[in-house]
Amino acid sequence: MAQPQRARPGLQGPGVLGRRYVRRAPGAPLEVVPGAVAAAAPAPPGVRAGFWSTSRWVPWFVCLLIACQLVLLVEAMSALRVVVRILAFGMSLLLLVMVPGRGLKHPALPFVLGSLGFTLLGFLNPGTVSPFAGAAQLGIQLAIAAPLLWVTRLSIDAKTFRLTLALLFFFNVASASVGVLQVYFPGRFQPNLSSAIQSQGDSYVRSLEFETASGARVLRPMGLTDMPGGAATGAFYSVLLGSGFLLSSRKGLARGLSAGGILVGLLSLYLCQVRSIALMLVICLGALAFMLTLTGRLVRLAKLLVVVGVAGVFAFGWAVTVGGDAVLARWNSLIEAKPEDVYQRNRGHFLEGTFEHLLPEYPLGAGLGRYGMANAYFGDNSDPEYPGLWAEIQWTAWVYDGGVLVLVLYPLGLLAAMAWVFRIARQREAADDEFWLWGSVIFAYNLGALALTFSYPFFMSQVGMEFWLLNAALFGAWTHAKTLHAHLR
């Protein structure tokens, strides 16, 4: 006697064609995408169905980060500086709470959550003299890592991911361009200097200036930031993301804009004279070229080398013509000595001090709220036994946060993220599939970010939040494309 066939769960009844189905993993049962059924039927009046479930939150969040950065340049908003700083991090925490559904498990997530867990134990450390500053520090770190949780709950497609990258690309090209104008026209495009920089005194501010070929003294280009040399970050993104769009675009206008962004980014970077960002960019481009070579995409490799090589030579000559001997001398210092010697003179002693002195002193962390933004805005440094601390590099910050455990777990999270995008970059996909390319770009970006942890507290700032946002968005978009039912992709 034939056994009756069992109905497939989730596929019965009216309205099935209005649903969207995904597999959370290869071979897993089909699941209805949250919010998809509601989208098939009209929402009640006054109710915005799926407002917190839309994948547009990823580009919207990037727009918010851009808006917060621009607001800081308005002199009338200087009194609200702390509020604006908090807004971007606070929005990430709000999305963590409000975005519904079950998130995908990014490979880096267990390590990052473990690191945050041990950081939370810092409230038991006697060095946490200000619970409010400690809560602020923990909130900042949770907000930076939060995209790993809320972004992966959204059904992101390749178009949304590309839009997110395009927003970052155009904003950073704009920042790099303004940085160039600040050197060409001293004082005309200059935003207000950060109060944190001004508080260091006139002699420190003068050390951030240089004399141009015309004889004028200018601050290192700030771009659309309030920090001397801040345009270097925009320059970095302009070149790296521009390289990705150059290799992926099929239209002449898009390729021209990508090449133009690369040129402007390199020119701005030379004028900023921030060598750590330049070395990070070299590492990223080298990693991208390595991935193209490894996967046999030699035509794209040749295109990258020609465009970046020609732009690099042309932009350097242009920068020296505008910036004068100061620019030439600054970049010559990189080749006059071994790279390890240059690093040792500038940041190497911070790394040595971290492992030789700070780690033995704080094997379980130094307590919360004793360094960085949380200490500057909310800290209490009145107790001479537990004074404020300074973290020049990320490895020092990890020791302060939780000692040896955080120092191990967070870097493992970075390596897990790199391992995943490396696997995606090596895949050979269909002609219209760009995930291998953006996997190569994000792998290069991740490697550069890891390198920058030796020069800057990367994961205590907005750029750290952008790091996890891009990694989570790529992970979500790739998983969505590979698990969504074929006729709904």
Side-chain angles (χ1 to χ4, degrees), residues 3 41 45 70 81 87 118 125 140 147 168 189 192 199 205 212 226 254 263 315 373 391 419 435 464 487:
Q3 294 293 329
L70 295 177
R81 183 180 183 85
L87 179 59
F118 286 114
N125 192 307
I140 290 172
L168 285 172
F189 296 92
N192 293 319
S199 65
V205 174
T212 67
D226 56 0
L263 176 62
M373 189 189 309
F435 285 112
H487 78 283

Side-chain angles (χ1 to χ4, degrees), residues 112 114-125 127-128 133-134 136-142 144 354 358-359 362-372 374 389 391 393-408 410-411 457-461:
V112 176
S115 173
L116 290 174
F118 286 114
T119 301
L120 176 62
L121 294 178
F123 278 107
L124 303 177
N125 192 307
T128 305
Q137 180 179 332
L138 187 64
I140 290 172
Q141 296 193 18
L142 179 59
I144 288 171
T354 296
L358 295 179
L359 188 58
Y362 306 115
L364 298 178
L368 300 179
R370 293 183 61 185
Y371 74 97
L389 301 173
I393 63 175
Q394 183 62 55
W395 294 83
T396 303
W398 283 329
V399 169
Y400 292 156
D401 290 340
V404 65
L405 295 173
V406 174
L407 194 66
V408 170
Y410 214 106
F458 189 88
F459 291 98
M460 283 303 299
S461 63

Side-chain angles (χ1 to χ4, degrees), residues 154-485:
L154 303 172
S155 297
I156 305 171
D157 56 20
K159 183 178 179 180
T160 302
F161 177 69
R162 188 180 176 91
L163 174 61
T164 303
L165 294 176
L167 289 171
L168 285 172
F169 173 67
F170 285 115
F171 171 72
N172 285 286
V173 169
S175 182
S177 301
V178 171
V180 173
L181 294 175
Q182 288 165 355
V183 178
Y184 261 97
F185 307 100
R188 288 182 57 182
F189 296 92
Q190 202 79 21
N192 293 319
L193 192 61
S194 166
S195 57
I197 297 295
Q198 295 182 35
S199 65
Q200 300 295 318
D202 292 339
S203 60
Y204 179 74
V205 174
R206 284 194 297 270
S207 70
L208 301 176
E209 298 177 343
F210 68 98
E211 185 175 324
T212 67
S214 64
R217 288 197 63 83
V218 298
L219 287 167
R220 294 181 185 176
M222 295 191 284
L224 296 176
T225 75
D226 56 0
M227 302 287 290
T233 301
F236 166 79
Y237 278 108
S238 298
V239 178
L240 183 61
L241 296 180
S243 298
F245 283 113
L246 176 73
L247 298 178
S248 66
S249 301
R250 296 178 176 84
K251 296 181 180 180
L253 177 60
R255 291 177 179 176
L257 291 174
S258 302
I262 292 172
L263 176 62
V264 171
L266 289 170
L267 174 59
S268 180
L269 183 58
Y270 288 138
L271 292 174
C272 287
Q273 306 172 46
V274 181
R275 294 175 297 186
S276 60
I277 297 290
L279 290 175
M280 177 182 176
L281 180 59
V282 170
I283 292 172
C284 289
L285 292 176
L288 180 56
F290 169 76
M291 292 306 303
L292 293 174
T293 304
L294 184 66
T295 55
R297 295 172 170 106
L298 301 182
V299 174
R300 296 177 190 255
L301 173 64
K303 183 192 296 187
L304 176 69
L305 294 178
V306 169
V307 173
V308 175
V310 171
V313 173
F314 181 75
F316 185 74
W318 193 355
V320 172
T321 301
V322 176
D325 294 338
V327 173
L328 182 62
R330 179 73 172 177
W331 294 111
N332 278 343
S333 66
L334 282 177
I335 60 176
E336 289 174 351
K338 296 179 179 179
E340 58 269 25
D341 293 337
V342 175
Y343 176 76
Q344 179 61 32
R345 290 198 303 267
N346 290 273
R347 291 289 188 272
H349 58 284
F350 293 113
L351 186 63
E352 285 187 359
T354 296
F355 284 93
E356 293 181 2
H357 304 293
L358 295 179
L359 188 58
E361 184 177 358
Y362 306 115
L364 298 178
L368 300 179
R370 293 183 61 185
Y371 74 97
M373 189 189 309
N375 181 264
Y377 292 143
F378 310 110
D380 178 7
N381 301 320
S382 59
D383 188 342
E385 188 175 354
Y386 301 105
L389 301 173
W390 182 260
E392 189 74 22
I393 63 175
Q394 183 62 55
W395 294 83
T396 303
W398 283 329
V399 169
Y400 292 156
D401 290 340
V404 65
L405 295 173
V406 174
L407 194 66
V408 170
L409 285 174
Y410 214 106
L412 284 177
L414 302 184
L415 294 177
M418 289 178 60
W420 182 81
V421 291
F422 181 81
R423 181 168 61 87
I424 299 304
R426 293 197 61 186
Q427 292 184 352
R428 294 190 174 274
E429 305 291 353
D432 60 344
D433 195 332
E434 296 180 356
F435 285 112
W436 71 266
L437 174 59
W438 292 115
S440 300
V441 173
I442 299 300
F443 172 78
Y445 170 62
N446 290 358
L447 184 60
L450 178 61
L452 200 58
T453 60
F454 292 91
S455 298
Y456 174 73
F458 189 88
F459 291 98
M460 283 303 299
S461 63
Q462 185 171 300
V463 292
M465 188 157 51
E466 292 173 0
F467 175 92
W468 290 122
L469 180 77
L470 291 179
N471 276 271
L474 177 62
F475 182 75
W478 181 86
T479 305
H480 176 82
K482 301 308 173 187
T483 58
L484 188 65
H485 196 279

